[in-house]
Amino acid sequence: MPKTITKEYEVYDLEDLKKDDDLCDRIYQKFWIDSPDNINGWADENLYSFKTFASTLIMDFDCSLSNAEYPDRGCYVKLIPDYRLDNKDYKEMLKDYKGNGYCFCDDLKTFTLKLLDKKEYKVLCEWATNDFVLEIQNKMFQLWFTDNKYYFSKQSFLEMVECNEYEFLENGRLA
């Protein structure tokens, strides 16, 4: 005849994590940092923002970005502009630009409009266009990894625990 065995587990919630730094650090590390399935939930939207922005500026977009806090050697963002476009063309394209509604779209629009107001980008010859595009690529790169760095922070972890009402076992697994 089969037997039923009942085992008790101690379960920890947000309040327990706030009271015990060592417990919080252990669970944060095991559940949030060490989990290979934990990726920034906004990664797809962020990438879509980049593609939408590049498309609006009639630039080809290519990238290889990791889902880590910091870039590795294989990470890059590449934009290829239409060299026939000038400062006024880009400003006109961005005039009513709303993007796809994610924060990166507004960040990129504001950054690019400020670039276009700089003296060195008033006239976009080939070398100035290359520098202009490089600055946008670098901004995209910076936005991506700043967002990932925040996502993997302990603050972000605790916010997720709170909004999802997570409870954990001592081994870092969800209860």
Side-chain angles (χ1 to χ4, degrees):
M1 172 151 213
K3 295 180 186 177
T4 301
I5 299 174
T6 304
K7 187 172 180 180
E8 289 187 28
Y9 293 94
E10 198 161 342
V11 176
Y12 303 95
D13 63 10
L14 178 64
E15 293 309 312
D16 297 316
L17 298 178
K18 286 180 177 180
K19 291 177 198 169
D20 187 337
D21 286 339
D22 289 336
L23 175 69
C24 183
D25 288 343
R26 281 194 316 276
I27 291 176
Y28 164 68
Q29 186 67 42
K30 290 177 183 177
F31 178 77
W32 202 245
I33 299 300
D34 293 345
S35 173
D37 298 324
N38 185 23
I39 63 167
N40 185 342
W42 295 102
D44 289 340
E45 289 85 354
N46 293 343
L47 237 117
Y48 183 58
S49 296
F50 292 164
K51 291 175 183 178
T52 301
F53 189 77
S55 176
T56 298
L57 297 183
I58 312 173
M59 294 183 187
D60 292 335
F61 174 80
D62 186 25
C63 73
S64 176
L65 296 165
S66 72
N67 285 310
E69 291 178 80
Y70 302 100
D72 60 35
R73 289 181 177 197
C75 294
Y76 67 89
V77 172
K78 179 74 175 164
L79 295 169
I80 301 171
D82 180 341
Y83 287 98
R84 297 171 293 182
L85 299 174
D86 64 19
N87 182 299
K88 290 178 186 174
D89 294 327
Y90 286 119
K91 284 185 175 182
E92 184 64 31
M93 289 178 215
L94 290 174
K95 189 168 75 174
D96 297 320
Y97 176 74
K98 301 284 188 238
N100 54 21
Y102 298 111
C103 64
F104 279 12
C105 294
D106 189 55
D107 293 344
L108 287 168
K109 176 184 178 178
T110 301
F111 176 80
T112 303
L113 287 171
K114 285 180 184 176
L115 283 180
L116 291 166
D117 286 339
K118 287 184 172 184
K119 185 175 107 176
E120 61 264 37
Y121 300 124
K122 292 289 182 190
V123 177
L124 290 174
C125 60
E126 185 175 344
W127 62 266
T129 299
N130 288 338
D131 290 348
F132 169 69
V133 169
L134 182 61
E135 290 207 47
I136 297 170
Q137 288 173 180
N138 291 340
K139 183 64 174 180
M140 288 177 168
F141 202 80
Q142 179 257 325
L143 286 168
W144 179 268
F145 286 104
T146 299
D147 193 58
N148 279 357
K149 188 173 183 178
Y150 175 74
Y151 175 78
F152 286 107
S153 71
K154 190 183 287 186
Q155 179 182 343
S156 175
F157 162 71
L158 291 172
E159 289 169 0
M160 284 292 195
V161 170
E162 182 175 23
C163 72
N164 291 296
E165 299 178 356
Y166 288 155
E167 292 183 324
F168 297 94
L169 302 175
E170 192 168 2
N171 65 7
R173 294 192 177 171
L174 288 174

